[in-house]
Amino acid sequence: MQFDWSVIWTHREALLHGAALTVGLTVVTMLLAVPGGIVLALMRLSSNRLLSNVSLGFVEFFRNLPLILVIYWVFYVMPMAADVQFSPLTTALVALVCNVSAYNAETFRAGINSIRKGQMEAALAIGMSRRQAMFKVVIPQAARRILPVIASTWISLFKDTSLVSVIAVSELAYSAMQVRAQTFRVLEMLTAMAALYWLMGYPQAKLVDWFHRRYGVKE
């Protein structure tokens, strides 16, 4: 068997473009999914039964479906069911944001519930409204506790972006597979794809380890 590693350099622009889009998808998804998770968590903790049930239904729906099925559903089923057509990139973002928001909601809810009730009672006792107490006292403390978990979710999201290649979003996995199909250099392109994911993912994994050491709550 003969190897032709020059194919990686020849198609470096396509691979780097795919890698950049992978990072972009991860960043934009998390920027939307963090506030989405906070809203869902607050809805779930609300005394309003309707808001609580809506949040519960959303979270349980997206947490218990495979992400690839959500991607297919948004891309193929939604246009037929609701006459709404998204571009592949928008479809990818909608599916990823819904999925990650559901997980973030449970992370935030657990973090908020981990704060002692006395913190809220003390804030209310000094004249804060419940909303002020939540955003100025409870959530800042909860954020420190859940930061390592959110960082781990980031790593999972970074790898899960490869699933959107099934709807032709030209992130790293799709770009590498396109080059493989054009050149028939299977081993070389799969190796290049693995190397790029590792080179981008390893520093992120080390950063997550640092977050766990720096912000992990030991009680």
Side-chain angles (χ1 to χ4, degrees):
M1 180 183 292
Q2 292 184 338
F3 301 114
D4 181 12
W5 298 104
S6 65
V7 69
I8 299 172
W9 180 254
T10 301
H11 295 277
R12 64 189 181 280
E13 290 187 6
L15 294 173
L16 291 175
H17 176 270
L21 185 55
T22 292
V23 173
L25 273 172
T26 305
V27 171
V28 174
T29 298
M30 192 58 82
L31 286 175
L32 295 173
V34 166
I38 293 174
V39 170
L40 287 168
L42 293 177
M43 287 173 62
R44 180 77 180 276
L45 294 169
S46 171
S47 57
N48 186 306
R49 182 173 291 275
L50 176 61
L51 290 178
S52 181
N53 287 338
V54 168
S55 174
L56 175 62
F58 183 96
V59 170
E60 293 303 322
F61 181 79
F62 285 103
R63 277 205 313 163
N64 292 288
L65 282 180
L67 177 55
I68 194 168
L69 180 59
V70 176
I71 294 169
Y72 277 131
W73 191 89
V74 175
F75 193 67
Y76 292 110
V77 178
M78 187 175 289
M80 294 184 292
D83 195 25
V84 177
Q85 180 68 61
F86 294 136
S87 68
L89 183 58
T90 303
T91 297
L93 279 173
V94 170
L96 290 171
V97 168
C98 288
N99 179 265
V100 179
S101 293
Y103 283 96
N104 283 351
E106 289 300 278
T107 299
F108 278 108
R109 187 169 71 92
I112 291 171
N113 283 335
S114 72
I115 305 301
R116 293 183 179 91
K117 291 183 178 180
Q119 297 286 324
M120 174 65 80
E121 293 169 355
L124 294 175
I126 63 173
M128 286 188 180
S129 67
R130 184 167 293 276
R131 182 177 181 277
Q132 288 175 320
M134 180 63 72
F135 284 95
K136 292 185 178 181
V137 177
V138 177
I139 289 182
Q141 293 183 71
R144 178 184 174 90
R145 297 189 176 208
I146 67 168
L147 191 57
V149 182
I150 294 294
S152 295
T153 301
W154 173 285
I155 297 297
S156 297
L157 169 62
F158 171 74
K159 294 181 291 185
D160 286 344
T161 57
S162 61
L163 294 174
V164 303
S165 62
V166 299
I167 55 172
V169 176
S170 55
E171 45 68 66
L172 179 55
Y174 181 81
S175 298
M177 292 299 98
Q178 287 295 99
V179 175
R180 182 210 63 178
Q182 295 166 9
T183 62
F184 302 101
R185 308 310 305 185
V186 178
L187 185 145
E188 292 90 334
M189 293 317 302
L190 290 179
T191 301
M193 181 169 64
L196 284 170
Y197 271 114
W198 190 87
L199 288 171
M200 292 190 295
Y202 183 74
Q204 298 177 60
K206 293 294 100 180
L207 182 60
V208 169
D209 290 342
W210 180 82
F211 274 123
H212 276 285
R213 292 193 301 271
R214 179 69 176 81
Y215 296 105
V217 177
K218 302 176 178 64
E219 290 184 333

